[in-house]
Amino acid sequence: MDIQYNSWLEKFKQPFGAVEMNSTVNFNIKVDSEEYIKSVALIVKKQGEKVEIEECSMKPYETNKYKYHYQVSKGSGLYLYCFKITAINHEGQEFCLYYGKSKDSGEGYQYVNEASIRWYQLTCYEENDQAPDWY
């Protein structure tokens, strides 16, 4: 399976970098596969006292491309995310692959086991704090 996502490129994630609370982040991913793709989901969890995991179903918009507009609405802090691809192989068996961060760059890596995923990070701040003119 060929999965294309790079958190450093605007064609995959907008905006780049930290975002203000209640703003929207646009995610796009491309999944080329000989297997039947049943679903593609954005998995998000916010770090904090209580970890809540959201599974957001991504919508197809072009051949093998999926998108989701995620609203950062659970307060400021660190959000972690990855992608979950559910597919059916040629024998009719359903399986899941996860796509998370690689060690070196914004490009990702395919994971078979959910427990071993390296999560991408998204920082959310409370409000934009303008630097003084002299700075």
Side-chain angles (χ1 to χ4, degrees):
M1 192 173 298
D2 179 31
I3 303 171
Q4 296 174 26
Y5 175 80
N6 186 329
S7 65
W8 295 357
L9 299 178
E10 284 191 341
K11 74 178 189 176
F12 295 109
K13 179 181 164 278
Q14 290 180 328
F16 178 78
V19 296
E20 189 170 358
M21 192 168 53
N22 295 319
S23 63
T24 299
V25 180
N26 300 312
F27 291 96
N28 298 290
I29 188 168
K30 184 174 183 186
V31 181
D32 287 321
S33 178
E34 292 182 10
E35 291 89 9
Y36 170 74
I37 302 301
K38 184 176 178 183
S39 66
V40 177
L42 171 69
I43 309 293
V44 181
K45 64 181 180 179
K46 183 174 184 294
Q47 279 193 332
E49 299 162 8
K50 180 177 139 185
V51 176
E52 293 180 32
I53 297 177
E54 296 177 81
E55 187 167 326
C56 310
S57 186
M58 298 184 79
K59 304 291 181 215
Y61 69 98
E62 283 181 16
T63 305
N64 303 330
K65 294 181 181 178
Y66 301 84
K67 66 181 175 180
Y68 191 82
H69 306 292
Y70 182 78
Q71 185 170 11
V72 186
S73 60
K74 297 193 181 317
S76 61
L78 188 62
Y79 290 72
L80 304 175
Y81 70 94
C82 70
F83 301 93
K84 177 182 176 183
I85 295 91
T86 305
I88 299 175
N89 66 19
H90 298 297
E91 290 79 37
Q93 298 169 320
E94 186 174 299
F95 67 97
C96 292
L97 278 178
Y98 298 89
Y99 196 77
K101 184 179 177 214
S102 69
K103 292 182 181 181
D104 302 327
S105 68
E107 293 180 3
Y109 182 79
Q110 292 181 35
Y111 295 88
V112 181
N113 183 343
E114 187 177 0
S116 60
I117 299 170
R118 291 176 53 102
W119 295 76
Y120 286 103
Q121 296 182 358
L122 174 64
T123 302
C124 174
Y125 55 89
E126 202 164 312
E127 60 184 47
N128 200 357
D129 188 15
Q130 295 294 325
D133 290 338
W134 58 265
Y135 186 69

